[in-house]
Amino acid sequence: MSFGKRLDDALTARGPLCVGIDPHPALLDSWGLPDDADGLGRFADTCVEAFADSAAVVKPQSAFFEVYGSAGIAVLERTVAALRSAGVIVLLDVKRGDIGTTMAAYARAYLDPASPLAADAITVSPYLGVGALQPAFDLAEEHDAGVFVLALTSNPEGPQVQHAVGPDGRAVAQLVIDDLATRNAAEAPLGAFGVVVGATIGDVDVRLDGLGGPFLVPGIGAQGGTADDVQRIFGAALRSVVPSVSREVLRHGPSAAALRAAVESQAGQFAFLRA
Protein backbone atom coordinates (compact mmCIF):
# COMPACT_ATOMS: atom_id res chain seq x y z
CA MET A 1 0.00 0.00 0.00
CA SER A 2 1.32 3.45 -0.87
CA PHE A 3 2.43 5.79 1.90
CA GLY A 4 -0.26 8.31 1.00
CA LYS A 5 -2.97 5.67 1.27
CA ARG A 6 -1.59 4.34 4.57
CA LEU A 7 -1.43 7.86 5.97
CA ASP A 8 -4.96 8.75 4.86
CA ASP A 9 -6.33 5.52 6.36
CA ALA A 10 -4.50 6.08 9.65
CA LEU A 11 -5.75 9.65 10.00
CA THR A 12 -9.32 8.48 9.40
CA ALA A 13 -9.08 5.55 11.83
CA ARG A 14 -6.95 7.05 14.61
CA GLY A 15 -7.64 10.77 14.45
CA PRO A 16 -6.00 13.67 12.63
CA LEU A 17 -2.92 14.30 14.78
CA CYS A 18 0.82 13.89 14.55
CA VAL A 19 2.23 13.79 18.09
CA GLY A 20 5.85 14.70 18.67
CA ILE A 21 8.34 13.03 21.00
CA ASP A 22 10.69 15.87 21.96
CA PRO A 23 12.57 14.83 25.13
CA HIS A 24 14.49 18.05 25.79
CA PRO A 25 16.18 18.44 29.19
CA ALA A 26 13.56 20.77 30.70
CA LEU A 27 10.82 18.31 29.85
CA LEU A 28 12.77 15.38 31.29
CA ASP A 29 13.16 17.40 34.48
CA SER A 30 9.45 18.24 34.65
CA TRP A 31 8.72 14.51 34.40
CA GLY A 32 11.14 13.84 37.28
CA LEU A 33 13.63 12.09 35.00
CA PRO A 34 17.42 12.48 34.82
CA ASP A 35 19.06 14.18 31.85
CA ASP A 36 20.79 11.03 30.64
CA ALA A 37 20.15 8.00 28.44
CA ASP A 38 18.23 6.24 31.21
CA GLY A 39 15.87 9.18 31.61
CA LEU A 40 15.52 9.37 27.85
CA GLY A 41 14.61 5.70 27.68
CA ARG A 42 11.97 5.97 30.39
CA PHE A 43 10.50 9.05 28.69
CA ALA A 44 10.36 7.33 25.30
CA ASP A 45 8.85 4.14 26.74
CA THR A 46 6.07 6.16 28.36
CA CYS A 47 5.37 7.91 25.06
CA VAL A 48 5.14 4.57 23.28
CA GLU A 49 2.71 3.31 25.92
CA ALA A 50 0.59 6.46 25.59
CA PHE A 51 0.62 6.97 21.82
CA ALA A 52 0.73 3.44 20.39
CA ASP A 53 -3.07 3.19 20.39
CA SER A 54 -4.07 6.86 20.43
CA ALA A 55 -2.19 8.65 17.63
CA ALA A 56 -2.13 8.18 13.87
CA VAL A 57 1.36 9.62 13.42
CA VAL A 58 4.17 9.97 15.95
CA LYS A 59 7.18 12.18 15.22
CA PRO A 60 10.32 11.52 17.27
CA GLN A 61 12.77 14.42 17.07
CA SER A 62 16.07 12.69 16.34
CA ALA A 63 18.30 15.42 17.77
CA PHE A 64 17.02 14.87 21.30
CA PHE A 65 18.09 11.23 21.04
CA GLU A 66 21.37 11.85 19.22
CA VAL A 67 22.64 14.12 22.00
CA TYR A 68 23.12 11.03 24.21
CA GLY A 69 25.35 9.31 21.66
CA SER A 70 25.05 5.62 20.85
CA ALA A 71 22.87 4.98 23.90
CA GLY A 72 20.41 7.61 22.69
CA ILE A 73 20.36 6.19 19.18
CA ALA A 74 19.61 2.77 20.67
CA VAL A 75 16.60 4.28 22.44
CA LEU A 76 15.47 5.88 19.18
CA GLU A 77 15.78 2.56 17.34
CA ARG A 78 13.62 0.69 19.83
CA THR A 79 11.11 3.56 20.02
CA VAL A 80 10.63 3.66 16.25
CA ALA A 81 10.35 -0.14 16.07
CA ALA A 82 7.83 -0.35 18.93
CA LEU A 83 5.59 2.34 17.47
CA ARG A 84 5.64 0.83 13.99
CA SER A 85 4.85 -2.60 15.42
CA ALA A 86 1.77 -1.05 17.05
CA GLY A 87 0.53 0.25 13.70
CA VAL A 88 1.59 3.87 14.21
CA ILE A 89 3.01 5.79 11.25
CA VAL A 90 6.42 7.01 12.40
CA LEU A 91 7.63 10.28 10.92
CA LEU A 92 11.27 10.67 11.95
CA ASP A 93 12.14 14.34 12.29
CA VAL A 94 15.73 14.50 11.03
CA LYS A 95 15.62 17.43 8.55
CA ARG A 96 18.48 16.04 6.48
CA GLY A 97 19.58 17.68 3.26
CA ASP A 98 22.76 17.05 1.28
CA ILE A 99 23.99 16.05 -2.17
CA GLY A 100 24.99 12.93 -4.03
CA THR A 101 26.18 9.89 -2.13
CA THR A 102 25.75 11.63 1.23
CA MET A 103 22.06 12.24 0.61
CA ALA A 104 21.77 8.65 -0.60
CA ALA A 105 23.30 7.46 2.69
CA TYR A 106 20.83 9.54 4.72
CA ALA A 107 18.00 8.06 2.69
CA ARG A 108 19.24 4.52 3.33
CA ALA A 109 19.60 5.24 7.06
CA TYR A 110 15.94 6.17 7.48
CA LEU A 111 13.96 4.80 4.53
CA ASP A 112 15.55 1.42 3.76
CA PRO A 113 13.61 -1.32 5.60
CA ALA A 114 16.93 -3.06 6.29
CA SER A 115 18.12 -0.14 8.44
CA PRO A 116 17.69 -0.33 12.23
CA LEU A 117 16.36 3.25 12.06
CA ALA A 118 13.85 2.61 9.26
CA ALA A 119 10.80 4.86 9.61
CA ASP A 120 7.63 5.37 7.57
CA ALA A 121 8.64 8.90 6.61
CA ILE A 122 11.25 11.59 7.28
CA THR A 123 11.59 15.35 7.19
CA VAL A 124 14.17 16.87 4.83
CA SER A 125 15.55 20.31 4.02
CA PRO A 126 15.48 21.49 0.36
CA TYR A 127 17.96 24.34 0.55
CA LEU A 128 20.62 22.62 -1.54
CA GLY A 129 17.91 22.38 -4.18
CA VAL A 130 14.86 20.11 -4.24
CA GLY A 131 16.57 17.98 -6.89
CA ALA A 132 19.37 17.18 -4.46
CA LEU A 133 16.81 15.22 -2.42
CA GLN A 134 16.24 12.78 -5.29
CA PRO A 135 17.85 9.81 -3.46
CA ALA A 136 15.25 10.19 -0.70
CA PHE A 137 12.41 10.49 -3.21
CA ASP A 138 13.64 7.39 -5.06
CA LEU A 139 13.96 5.26 -1.95
CA ALA A 140 10.59 6.46 -0.65
CA GLU A 141 8.95 5.39 -3.90
CA GLU A 142 10.73 2.02 -3.81
CA HIS A 143 9.63 1.24 -0.26
CA ASP A 144 6.26 3.07 -0.07
CA ALA A 145 7.60 5.60 2.42
CA GLY A 146 7.02 9.34 2.74
CA VAL A 147 9.13 12.49 2.59
CA PHE A 148 8.13 15.83 4.11
CA VAL A 149 10.04 18.81 2.73
CA LEU A 150 10.41 22.08 4.63
CA ALA A 151 8.50 24.87 2.86
CA LEU A 152 7.06 27.53 5.23
CA THR A 153 8.33 26.93 8.74
CA SER A 154 7.16 28.43 12.03
CA ASN A 155 10.48 29.98 13.11
CA PRO A 156 10.90 33.76 12.62
CA GLU A 157 14.13 33.34 10.64
CA GLY A 158 12.47 31.22 7.96
CA PRO A 159 11.05 33.97 5.71
CA GLN A 160 14.57 35.26 4.92
CA VAL A 161 15.04 32.22 2.69
CA GLN A 162 11.56 30.81 2.17
CA HIS A 163 9.98 34.07 0.96
CA ALA A 164 12.90 35.03 -1.29
CA VAL A 165 11.76 35.42 -4.91
CA GLY A 166 13.46 33.68 -7.82
CA PRO A 167 13.96 34.89 -11.40
CA ASP A 168 10.52 33.63 -12.45
CA GLY A 169 8.78 35.60 -9.70
CA ARG A 170 7.97 32.61 -7.49
CA ALA A 171 8.97 32.47 -3.84
CA VAL A 172 11.37 29.71 -2.82
CA ALA A 173 8.56 28.07 -0.80
CA GLN A 174 6.38 28.09 -3.92
CA LEU A 175 9.14 26.43 -5.93
CA VAL A 176 9.31 23.65 -3.36
CA ILE A 177 5.53 23.14 -3.31
CA ASP A 178 5.24 23.20 -7.11
CA ASP A 179 8.05 20.65 -7.52
CA LEU A 180 6.38 18.25 -5.10
CA ALA A 181 2.97 18.78 -6.69
CA THR A 182 4.43 17.48 -9.95
CA ARG A 183 5.83 14.41 -8.17
CA ASN A 184 2.45 13.72 -6.51
CA ALA A 185 0.37 14.20 -9.64
CA ALA A 186 -0.56 10.56 -10.28
CA GLU A 187 -1.21 9.56 -6.65
CA ALA A 188 -4.52 9.26 -4.79
CA PRO A 189 -5.84 9.92 -2.19
CA LEU A 190 -2.50 11.49 -1.21
CA GLY A 191 0.94 11.52 -2.72
CA ALA A 192 3.97 10.39 -0.74
CA PHE A 193 5.66 13.80 -0.83
CA GLY A 194 4.45 16.36 1.67
CA VAL A 195 5.55 19.76 2.88
CA VAL A 196 6.01 21.36 6.27
CA VAL A 197 3.94 24.53 6.67
CA GLY A 198 3.69 26.16 10.10
CA ALA A 199 0.39 27.23 11.61
CA THR A 200 1.97 30.59 12.50
CA ILE A 201 2.99 31.72 9.00
CA GLY A 202 0.34 34.43 8.79
CA ASP A 203 -0.67 35.75 5.38
CA VAL A 204 1.80 34.77 2.66
CA ASP A 205 1.73 35.02 -1.12
CA VAL A 206 2.15 31.27 -1.64
CA ARG A 207 -0.46 28.93 -3.14
CA LEU A 208 -1.02 25.80 -1.12
CA ASP A 209 -3.68 24.24 -3.32
CA GLY A 210 -2.69 21.55 -5.75
CA LEU A 211 0.06 19.88 -3.71
CA GLY A 212 -1.61 16.49 -3.92
CA GLY A 213 0.25 15.39 -0.79
CA PRO A 214 0.06 15.93 2.97
CA PHE A 215 0.82 19.11 4.89
CA LEU A 216 2.64 18.62 8.19
CA VAL A 217 1.62 21.62 10.30
CA PRO A 218 3.70 22.40 13.41
CA GLY A 219 3.49 25.56 15.51
CA ILE A 220 0.20 24.60 17.18
CA GLY A 221 -0.38 25.23 20.88
CA ALA A 222 2.73 26.46 22.69
CA GLN A 223 3.94 28.34 19.59
CA GLY A 224 0.61 30.11 19.17
CA GLY A 225 -1.02 28.34 16.24
CA THR A 226 -4.71 27.39 16.56
CA ALA A 227 -7.36 25.33 14.79
CA ASP A 228 -8.76 28.59 13.42
CA ASP A 229 -5.36 29.38 11.90
CA VAL A 230 -5.30 25.98 10.23
CA GLN A 231 -8.74 26.54 8.70
CA ARG A 232 -7.76 30.02 7.47
CA ILE A 233 -4.42 28.96 5.96
CA PHE A 234 -5.41 25.74 4.22
CA GLY A 235 -8.99 26.25 3.10
CA ALA A 236 -9.96 23.64 0.53
CA ALA A 237 -6.81 21.58 1.28
CA LEU A 238 -7.86 20.83 4.88
CA ARG A 239 -8.26 17.09 4.36
CA SER A 240 -4.53 16.91 3.54
CA VAL A 241 -3.50 18.63 6.78
CA VAL A 242 -1.74 16.76 9.61
CA PRO A 243 -1.51 19.05 12.67
CA SER A 244 1.63 18.38 14.69
CA VAL A 245 1.57 18.90 18.46
CA SER A 246 4.32 18.22 20.96
CA ARG A 247 4.52 20.41 24.05
CA GLU A 248 0.73 20.74 24.32
CA VAL A 249 0.60 16.99 24.86
CA LEU A 250 3.94 16.20 26.51
CA ARG A 251 3.45 18.72 29.32
CA HIS A 252 0.79 16.38 30.72
CA GLY A 253 3.32 13.59 31.44
CA PRO A 254 4.62 11.46 32.97
CA SER A 255 1.24 9.76 33.30
CA ALA A 256 0.51 7.70 30.18
CA ALA A 257 -3.21 8.04 30.84
CA ALA A 258 -2.90 11.83 31.03
CA LEU A 259 -0.91 11.87 27.79
CA ARG A 260 -3.60 9.82 26.03
CA ALA A 261 -6.26 12.19 27.32
CA ALA A 262 -4.27 15.16 26.01
CA VAL A 263 -4.06 13.53 22.57
CA GLU A 264 -7.83 13.01 22.60
CA SER A 265 -8.40 16.63 23.62
CA GLN A 266 -6.13 18.00 20.89
CA ALA A 267 -7.63 15.68 18.27
CA GLY A 268 -11.10 16.94 19.18
CA GLN A 269 -10.07 20.47 18.21
CA PHE A 270 -9.25 19.24 14.70
CA ALA A 271 -12.17 16.88 14.14
CA PHE A 272 -13.24 19.08 11.20
CA LEU A 273 -10.26 17.78 9.22
CA ARG A 274 -11.86 14.35 8.83
CA ALA A 275 -15.52 15.37 8.93
Side-chain angles (χ1 to χ4, degrees), residues 90 151 181 240:
V90 176
S240 303

Side-chain angles (χ1 to χ4, degrees), residues 61-77:
Q61 169 48 259
S62 182
F64 290 120
F65 294 80
E66 294 173 32
V67 72
Y68 300 101
S70 60
I73 295 297
V75 174
L76 181 59
E77 288 178 3

Side-chain angles (χ1 to χ4, degrees), residues 36-148:
D36 58 22
D38 178 65
L40 172 73
R42 290 155 61 189
F43 184 99
D45 290 347
T46 299
C47 288
V48 170
E49 179 186 354
F51 305 149
D53 60 358
S54 64
V57 184
V58 174
K59 181 173 67 67
Q61 169 48 259
S62 182
F64 290 120
F65 294 80
E66 294 173 32
V67 72
Y68 300 101
S70 60
I73 295 297
V75 174
L76 181 59
E77 288 178 3
R78 78 169 193 244
T79 300
V80 170
L83 288 166
R84 296 188 77 195
S85 294
V88 176
I89 289 181
V90 176
L91 169 55
L92 192 54
D93 198 352
V94 290
K95 297 186 178 73
R96 301 301 192 231
D98 216 306
I99 60 173
T101 55
T102 306
M103 191 63 226
Y106 281 136
R108 285 182 57 203
Y110 307 117
L111 297 175
D112 187 333
S115 169
L117 278 171
D120 296 285
I122 58 171
T123 57
V124 294
S125 174
Y127 298 113
L128 291 174
V130 179
L133 301 172
Q134 191 63 45
F137 298 143
D138 289 342
L139 213 56
E141 287 186 331
E142 180 179 349
H143 297 298
D144 291 321
V147 178
F148 287 80

Side-chain angles (χ1 to χ4, degrees), residues 103-268:
M103 191 63 226
Y106 281 136
R108 285 182 57 203
Y110 307 117
L111 297 175
D112 187 333
S115 169
L117 278 171
D120 296 285
I122 58 171
T123 57
V124 294
S125 174
Y127 298 113
L128 291 174
V130 179
L133 301 172
Q134 191 63 45
F137 298 143
D138 289 342
L139 213 56
E141 287 186 331
E142 180 179 349
H143 297 298
D144 291 321
V147 178
F148 287 80
V149 185
L150 302 180
L152 290 164
T153 56
S154 297
N155 61 305
E157 302 87 356
Q160 181 180 15
V161 173
Q162 296 158 13
H163 294 188
V165 176
D168 65 356
R170 288 182 295 168
V172 169
Q174 189 71 66
L175 291 169
V176 171
I177 292 168
D178 291 349
D179 185 296
L180 296 175
T182 299
R183 297 174 188 272
N184 286 326
E187 296 294 328
L190 287 174
F193 306 127
V195 294
V196 180
V197 175
T200 58
I201 60 170
D203 296 321
V204 295
D205 189 20
V206 174
R207 300 185 317 278
L208 300 176
D209 57 314
L211 173 65
F215 294 92
L216 180 70
V217 184
I220 292 164
Q223 292 174 270
T226 67
D228 288 342
D229 291 323
V230 170
Q231 288 185 296
R232 175 180 53 79
I233 292 168
F234 293 96
L238 282 174
R239 188 172 174 81
S240 303
V241 168
V242 185
S244 181
V245 295
S246 297
R247 279 177 283 179
E248 283 299 302
V249 169
L250 296 174
R251 66 185 179 87
H252 294 278
S255 163
L259 291 168
R260 281 192 291 270
V263 172
E264 183 178 354
S265 174
Q266 288 292 312

